[in-house]
Every structure is written in C-alpha cells, then in structure tokens.
Amino acid sequence: MPVLEANGLIKRYGQTDIIKGISLSVEAGETIAFIGPSGAGKSTLLRLLDLLELPSGGTIALQGTRVGRKNSERLEFRRRMSFVHQKPLVFSSSVFDNVAQPLKWRGFKKEDLHERVGKALALVGMEHYSSRAAKTLSGGETQRIAIARSLVTDPEILFLDEPTANLDPPSTARVEELITKIIKTQNLTVVMATHDLAQGQRLAGRIGVLMNGELMQLAKSDEIFLAP
Ligand code: ADP
Ligand code: ADP
C-alpha cells in the first residue's frame, strides 16, 4: 500500500490553477524528487502533500486513509510528517531548544527531550553545537539543524523543499551526504523538491517532472528524459 497517495490535486490562487490535477502515489521507503523550473509548482505541491495547504480540489490519503478537510484531522495526520523549508526558520535560542521545539509542541516532558534531541543532533553531526545560539550558525549548519529538528519526532515522511538552494558547493555536498545517510539509515519516505535534475538523480529513486502545474513525467531517476 502506498504511504502517500494524491488523486486529482488542484490548487487555485484567484483564477489561476497553480497545480492542475496531479495524481501520484509514493511507496513506503522510497525517495522521490520533484524537479522543474522556478514557478512550476514544486513548493506548492510539497505543501499540499504535507497538508500545510488545503487543496482546491482532489484528495490525499495516508496509508490508505483519506485525509479530511477539518483542521483537527489534518493536524493529526501532519504529526506523522516533517517539512524542511528552503530557508528554515531559526528561533533566537540555543540549537538544543530549536531541535526540541517540535517535541515541546507535541507535549513531551522536559526529561524526555535530551535523549531524542541528542540522537537527532548526532545523526546530523552537530552534537557539539547543542548550546550554541542557533542564529550564529552558517547556512549549511542551519540546514543540518533544520533536518535534525524535522527528524526528532520520528516522522514517516520527510519533505525537503530545495534543501540546498541557498548553500555554497561545499555545504551542498555535506547536506546531500547527510540526506543520503538519512535515506539509508532512517526508516522513512522522502519527498523533495529541487530545480537541479542532477541532484534529484543523485538522491532519489524516482523523479517527477513538473511544468506549469502539471506532472509531465514520473519515472525512475535514470529513465527521465528532458528535452534540451
Ligand atoms: P516552484 O516551487 O516550482 O518555484 P511554487 O509552487 O513556489 O513553484 O509556485 C508556483 C506558482 O504559484 C508561481 O507562479 C507562484 O507565483 C504561484 N504562487 C505560489 N504561492 C502563491 C500564493 N500564495 N498566492 C498566489 N500565487 C502563488
Ligand atoms: P513541520 O513543519 O516540521 O512539519 P510542525 O508541523 O510542528 O513541523 O510545524 C510547522 C510550523 O507550524 C512550525 O514552524 C511552527 O511555526 C508552527 N507550529 C506547529 N505546531 C505549533 C504549535 N503547537 N504551536 C505553535 N506553532 C506551531
């Protein structure tokens, strides 16, 4: 059974359909990357699949259960997913508190935070940064902290929106290396957006090509053909 299924998804802003009836299914444990030029609808599609945005039409199902339109129900489903933004929001507090925040929102007790946060920081190689002020981190470090924060809740699905778009080549390489490690070692499904086909091919098993709000191709990474 697919972990995530979209059927005829539409997103309309004003009179314009930004996502024009997209259907797809994501298998448990796979990594799928949506590629396409700026404005193609990658972010919007990710935000729909992550239940951050309510679709104007169509449905989403998680493990075969259709997600309703009530906020309370959507929040319940959202708790099984994490989203890493292109420019992650960092709070003016320590790295530890930033990574612990989603656990606090979920009502974890203080004494239960340390082990989980420690594990997440170790996974991204940032265990020695725990007491640093998060605002003092570099772009690459910030992205790694954002990834730790997204993994601390043990999500079933991890969404990554252009995870390296704002990084220099060395930081990009490190973040890609980290994503590869997460895919190999964590028991989760990854759905990402990138404007870089080569990056999609390095990281993902399947690639979806978005153009102007439509899914033009969805195929294995090595079978994607782009007209020059
Ligand atoms: P991508 O991530 O591929 O660059 P986006 O999903 O960010 O594409 O945007 C797709 C299109 O939707 C763009 O033309 C953008 O201007 C438009 N768009 C995105 N969000 C909104 C919004 N909140 N209101 C109106 N238009 C939007
Ligand atoms: P993610 O976006 O990583 O899936 P969340 O769903 O926990 O994580 O949070 C999304 C955003 O919604 C956060 O960046 C935060 O601004 C806000 N948020 C989530 N839950 C709460 C909450 N209980 N109280 C206040 N803000 C929240």
Side-chain angles (χ1 to χ4, degrees):
M1 179 190 299
V3 63
L4 182 63
E5 234 178 327
N7 236 304
L9 274 191
I10 295 172
K11 184 67 186 181
R12 187 171 301 134
Y13 289 120
Q15 312 277 22
T16 314
D17 284 357
I18 299 299
I19 297 294
K20 300 173 178 165
I22 289 184
S23 300
L24 57 92
S25 63
V26 182
E27 297 301 322
E30 81 165 316
T31 297
I32 186 164
F34 294 105
I35 64 154
S38 177
K42 303 181 295 293
S43 273
T44 307
L45 178 60
L46 250 56
R47 294 167 60 84
L48 286 168
L49 295 176
D50 182 59
L51 311 174
L52 275 161
E53 300 250 14
L54 200 57
S56 312
T59 57
I60 292 173
L62 248 96
Q63 313 270 26
T65 307
R66 189 169 150 173
V67 180
R69 298 181 68 86
K70 280 216 306 267
N71 274 341
S72 54
E73 190 182 337
R74 293 163 59 78
L75 191 65
E76 206 50 47
F77 281 102
R78 283 212 69 222
R79 299 234 143 146
R80 295 156 58 180
M81 314 169 167
S82 282
F83 196 99
V84 178
H85 296 267
Q86 185 172 340
K87 286 186 199 151
L89 197 70
V90 175
F91 306 109
S92 306
S93 57
S94 66
V95 163
F96 182 94
D97 286 337
N98 268 266
V99 174
Q101 191 59 64
L103 295 175
K104 292 182 188 163
W105 280 333
R106 283 166 170 79
F108 278 75
K109 290 199 219 86
K110 233 179 171 171
E111 57 266 32
D112 297 331
L113 300 179
H114 275 91
E115 194 189 332
R116 279 181 168 249
V117 172
K119 248 175 70 187
L121 284 176
L123 185 64
V124 303
M126 300 279 289
E127 58 270 61
H128 303 303
Y129 289 69
S130 195
S131 53
R132 267 276 287 276
K135 297 264 192 201
T136 66
L137 299 175
S138 72
E141 290 164 346
T142 302
Q143 198 53 276
R144 280 153 63 201
I145 289 302
I147 291 173
R149 182 168 63 192
S150 73
L151 291 176
V152 79
T153 51
D154 275 328
E156 290 166 41
I157 309 173
L158 176 66
F159 291 90
L160 302 165
D161 189 4
E162 298 270 10
T164 63
N166 298 302
L167 304 181
D168 59 14
S171 305
T172 295
R174 285 202 74 172
V175 168
E176 280 193 14
E177 207 177 294
L178 172 59
I179 295 170
T180 304
K181 175 171 141 192
I182 289 165
I183 291 168
K184 280 206 191 115
T185 62
Q186 308 297 298
N187 180 28
L188 46 66
T189 306
V190 177
V191 180
M192 61 179 291
T194 174
H195 59 270
D196 179 359
L197 171 63
Q199 178 173 72
Q201 287 175 320
R202 282 193 294 275
L203 298 176
R206 279 200 301 160
I207 286 182
V209 182
L210 275 182
M211 292 284 225
N212 204 7
E214 289 183 68
L215 190 56
M216 312 299 286
Q217 296 181 61
L218 179 58
K220 286 187 183 157
S221 296
D222 52 7
E223 291 170 3
I224 284 292
F225 173 77
L226 291 189

